[in-house]
């Protein structure tokens, strides 16, 4: 079961058939993410085929991992299957099994 963990805390967990895999990243469906640990960031980046990504800081036990999660609130047509899904990086361990 794919899951995202940082500082010993499970941030997201979903059945293997519920996640999307794009460019080596695991995108968790919105309902699989524990938003208790996410804080909106002001960071945005643009992907030419997916659209504009928005970021979250991951906050666990007072420690902040800036911009360690991202999602596409609105996507371009080719990436509609990941709209609203959340992916992680910057030291967040993502087990994809």
């Amino acid at each position: 079961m794919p899951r995202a963990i940082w500082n010993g805390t499970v941030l997201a967990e979903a059945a293997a058939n519920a996640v999307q895999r794009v460019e080596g990243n695991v995108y968790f469906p919105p309902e699989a993410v524990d938003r208790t640990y996410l804080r909106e960031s002001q960071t945005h980046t643009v992907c030419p085929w997916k659209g504009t990504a928005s970021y979250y800081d991951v906050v666990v036990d007072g420690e902040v991992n800036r911009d360690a999660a991202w999602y596409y609130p609105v996507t371009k047509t080719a990436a509609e299957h990941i709209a609203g899904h959340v992916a992680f990086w910057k030291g967040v361990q993502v087990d994809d099994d």
Side-chain angles (χ1 to χ4, degrees):
M1 178 174 290
R3 70 186 65 170
I5 301 168
W6 189 66
N7 278 3
T9 299
V10 176
L11 308 173
E13 185 172 34
N17 64 352
V19 299
Q20 298 292 323
R21 293 167 182 85
V22 177
E23 297 178 329
N25 296 301
V26 176
Y27 285 81
F28 292 88
E31 64 276 7
V33 179
D34 187 342
R35 296 186 181 275
T36 304
Y37 304 106
L38 301 182
R39 181 176 68 196
E40 290 283 341
S41 166
Q42 296 304 308
T43 301
H44 300 281
T45 58
V46 177
C47 171
W49 73 273
K50 289 183 292 244
T52 301
S54 296
Y55 288 75
Y56 293 112
D57 296 335
V58 174
V59 183
V60 174
D61 293 330
E63 290 190 54
V64 179
N65 189 346
R66 295 205 178 280
D67 298 332
W70 77 93
Y71 69 103
Y72 292 87
V74 177
T75 65
K76 293 187 176 184
T77 304
E80 287 177 343
H81 62 292
I82 62 166
H85 285 54
V86 180
F88 298 89
W89 67 330
K90 291 192 169 184
V92 175
Q93 176 187 342
V94 178
D95 297 328
D96 185 17
D97 44 7

